[in-house]
Amino acid sequence: MKPFYPILRRGAGWTLLLTAVAGASCSGSDDAAPGPAEGAATPYVTRVLDFRPAVGQFVNQLPEYEAGDTQETMNRKALEAIGGNRRGMISLGGFGGYVVVGFDHTIENRPGLCDFRVLGNAFLASGQTAYGSCEPGVIEVARDLNGNGLPDEDEWYEIAGSSYPEASESWLDAARAAGNDVQTLTGYEITYHRPTEEPSAAAEEYIRWEDNRGGSGYIPKNTFHGQPYYPQWIDAATLTFRGTRLPQNGIDLSGAGNNYALYAFAYGYADNLPDASDRSAIDIDWAVNASGEPASLSGVDFIRIHTGVHQLNGWLGECSTEVMGVEDLHLLGVSIRSNTVKP
Ligand SMILES: [Ca+2]
Ligand SMILES: [Ca+2]
Ligand SMILES: [Ca+2]
């Protein structure tokens, strides 16, 4: 049976879901009026329209699920974490999990300059420039062209990062040699199954997944995180996510499964490079349509981030993108030339 509620297929169902969620959150006190607010613009997130992590070891903890929570209250908790300049953290779980955020103004696309960055907890290992904890999230942007205060299906565009539409990173040969799947796959789709029972200890065959390329497997439960990994406020028996999947960037330097280095992508992703790095900044000019052609947006009103890598990294667990906020670089007076980030 095709699940209705959590399905992320780009179609009417998703739009309806967003409408329902955003409509509900409009009654919340934190929610700014949709659209630009003259003179009152803040550089940060003011709305969380949809927080929908995939399964993962930090899910139901970042933010914390409590009995009785609903999609609306979890959206609010996500906003409490990453709204404004609070720099709390939400985890998007494994591949496909996502958050959709909005602002009290349109983030302007200034020619030749990067326009925003998504904050995360990525860092580089001591003394290293190539790897560390890099868990890239794919970024999509929407311009509210019809002015309804919501991101509609036909308003989304993907930020073409360094591995779009094909993988292109300096470390791909090493990753391939380590046995990684190093393809970029657009239109990748994965379905996770709610476990029939919650194991009390670590379990290898914990949460079953299948993709639309004939692949399948399990997300294990590890010894460090004992809570349920499947989002507890979602009743559906399966969760399906769809989007661009990036090359697997975790390489076990030990060869024994205990020292995973997560390699950084060159540019264009969330939670991939330290927030202070210019290469974490995004130029709206990189947005492309489904055919890979430039979207030519004058600005963006909504940003969607999903975990881009589908990989288990030994005791580190599944790759999961974390989000800590978004910054409008222009409102903060930060000038980063786009051609210094994307050569
Ligand atoms: Ca720009
Ligand atoms: Ca719209
Ligand atoms: Ca992270």
Side-chain angles (χ1 to χ4, degrees):
M1 193 184 80
K2 186 182 289 185
F4 167 70
Y5 182 61
I7 190 95
L8 299 189
R9 247 179 253 286
R10 293 305 175 76
W14 194 58
T15 305
L16 281 173
L17 175 61
L18 279 176
T19 303
V21 168
S25 66
C26 281
S27 60
S29 56
D30 283 333
D31 219 17
E38 283 300 322
T42 75
Y44 310 113
V45 168
T46 59
R47 304 172 69 192
V48 169
L49 289 89
D50 202 9
F51 168 61
R52 196 69 61 90
V55 303
Q57 62 189 325
F58 299 106
V59 172
N60 301 309
Q61 290 186 335
L62 292 172
E64 185 184 5
Y65 167 84
E66 296 163 293
D69 271 329
T70 62
Q71 186 63 60
E72 182 186 0
T73 63
M74 291 305 290
N75 290 349
R76 189 180 306 139
K77 287 182 176 184
L79 179 62
E80 287 165 1
I82 67 170
N85 195 24
R86 290 190 285 276
R87 299 181 182 228
M89 193 187 303
I90 62 173
S91 178
L92 303 183
F95 172 82
Y98 72 94
V99 65
V100 178
V101 300
F103 308 89
D104 62 6
H105 68 290
T106 299
I107 299 177
E108 188 185 346
N109 180 12
R110 294 194 186 164
L113 295 176
C114 289
D115 307 295
F116 68 88
R117 61 158 51 100
V118 178
L119 305 177
N121 67 346
F123 60 87
L124 296 171
S126 178
Q128 300 298 328
T129 57
Y131 65 81
S133 180
C134 310
E135 303 182 296
V138 174
I139 299 170
E140 291 165 87
V141 293
R143 182 82 163 99
D144 187 15
L145 292 171
N146 65 2
N148 67 349
L150 297 168
D152 295 277
E153 191 56 29
D154 58 357
E155 294 173 336
W156 284 107
Y157 298 91
E158 182 161 335
I159 295 293
S162 49
S163 274
Y164 178 96
E166 292 179 355
S168 175
E169 308 295 339
S170 59
W171 42 263
L172 286 181
D173 285 347
R176 194 179 291 111
N180 291 5
D181 179 342
V182 295
Q183 296 179 87
T184 293
L185 297 175
T186 57
Y188 185 74
E189 185 175 295
I190 191 166
T191 295
Y192 300 95
H193 294 259
R194 175 193 287 276
T196 50
E197 58 184 42
E198 197 59 41
S200 55
E204 281 298 314
E205 297 191 351
Y206 176 35
I207 293 182
R208 171 90 177 163
W209 61 265
E210 295 137 11
D211 67 19
N212 62 346
R213 312 281 171 137
S216 63
Y218 288 89
I219 302 293
K221 181 174 231 178
N222 62 39
T223 55
F224 307 105
H225 302 276
Q227 88 289 356
Y229 290 11
Y230 192 98
Q232 295 295 286
W233 62 98
I234 295 176
D235 291 333
T238 61
L239 276 169
T240 297
F241 298 93
R242 184 181 177 87
T244 295
R245 196 213 67 180
L246 299 173
Q248 292 180 326
N249 67 331
I251 300 175
D252 175 21
L253 301 180
S254 71
N258 57 28
N259 185 19
Y260 276 82
L262 309 186
Y263 278 74
F265 289 65
Y267 65 88
Y269 299 101
D271 197 21
N272 171 57
L273 285 157
D275 295 337
S277 168
D278 283 0
R279 288 193 293 143
S280 69
I282 305 295
D283 184 350
I284 294 169
D285 269 337
W286 301 338
V288 296
N289 65 19
S291 304
E293 299 154 344
S296 302
L297 299 169
S298 61
V300 303
D301 299 299
F302 305 100
I303 296 174
R304 181 187 189 277
I305 303 116
H306 76 257
T307 297
V309 172
H310 182 41
Q311 185 176 17
L312 299 170
N313 294 306
W315 65 266
L316 292 179
E318 71 287 337
C319 180
S320 64
T321 300
E322 277 74 48
V323 174
M324 300 180 70
V326 176
E327 292 180 343
D328 179 329
L329 297 177
H330 306 313
L331 289 188
L332 290 172
V334 176
S335 180
I336 298 172
R337 293 190 59 79
S338 181
N339 63 10
T340 64
V341 177
K342 177 186 177 183

